[in-house]
Amino acid sequence: MKTNKNLGLSAIVVLLLMAFAPNSASAQQSDIKRTDLQKHDLSIPGREAVQVKIDFGPHTAFGKHYHHGEEIIYVLDGTLEYEVEVEGTVTLKAGEVLFIPAGTVHSAKNTTNAKASELATYVVEKGKPILVLKK
């Protein structure tokens, strides 16, 4: 009984260490700041528009994810690289735009030594999460 209890406690400790230990994905995402700007119901039933500014520190990345609706991206500053399912890699500089269809898996990263930022506008299903991480 005592051995099973110790094994259980050891497993919990290992899981906690794995969850909170720095890894490349969480370390890279720690220098990404999301600022919610506005959120409004649309005239289309069950849809809402959400607009956010996302700031990427140098050499940061946000992993693979998708949205329950469309994402419209406008790069405000710097250069960002997007890996978009089916399309491949797209590199955008300030002033350039990208449209990502609903449910399309994609990721974003800043591969430069400078900060970068984007304005992201989502037209999504109301009540569903804006972002779903892909494993």
Side-chain angles (χ1 to χ4, degrees):
M1 177 75 174
K2 190 173 184 178
T3 303
N4 286 342
K5 188 176 182 180
N6 286 341
L7 284 175
L9 287 173
S10 296
I12 291 171
V13 168
V14 168
L15 290 173
L16 286 172
L17 286 173
M18 288 171 54
F20 293 106
N23 62 42
S24 60
S26 64
Q28 286 186 334
Q29 290 182 17
S30 66
D31 201 18
I32 295 176
K33 180 185 172 196
R34 176 187 169 111
T35 305
D36 294 332
L37 300 173
Q38 59 180 329
K39 181 178 183 177
H40 300 282
D41 289 343
L42 296 176
S43 60
I44 303 165
R47 294 282 179 179
E48 65 184 352
V50 179
Q51 199 167 49
V52 300
K53 180 181 180 215
I54 304 169
D55 298 302
F56 292 79
H59 301 285
T60 57
F62 195 88
K64 291 183 179 185
H65 63 283
Y66 66 92
H67 309 281
H68 292 286
E70 290 76 15
E71 179 179 13
I72 302 149
I73 297 168
Y74 176 78
V75 177
L76 297 166
D77 297 303
T79 301
L80 292 167
E81 183 179 285
Y82 299 89
E83 185 68 35
V84 183
E85 184 179 64
V86 181
E87 288 185 40
T89 303
V90 179
T91 301
L92 301 178
K93 295 179 181 169
E96 296 182 316
V97 298
L98 179 64
F99 177 83
I100 300 179
T104 301
V105 175
H106 59 286
S107 61
K109 64 182 169 181
N110 177 358
T111 60
T112 71
N113 291 324
K115 292 183 180 180
S117 60
E118 71 176 26
L119 177 66
T121 303
Y122 307 96
V123 177
V124 293
E125 291 182 51
K126 191 172 180 173
K128 288 197 176 180
I130 298 281
L131 179 133
V132 179
L133 291 174
K134 188 78 174 168
K135 293 182 181 184

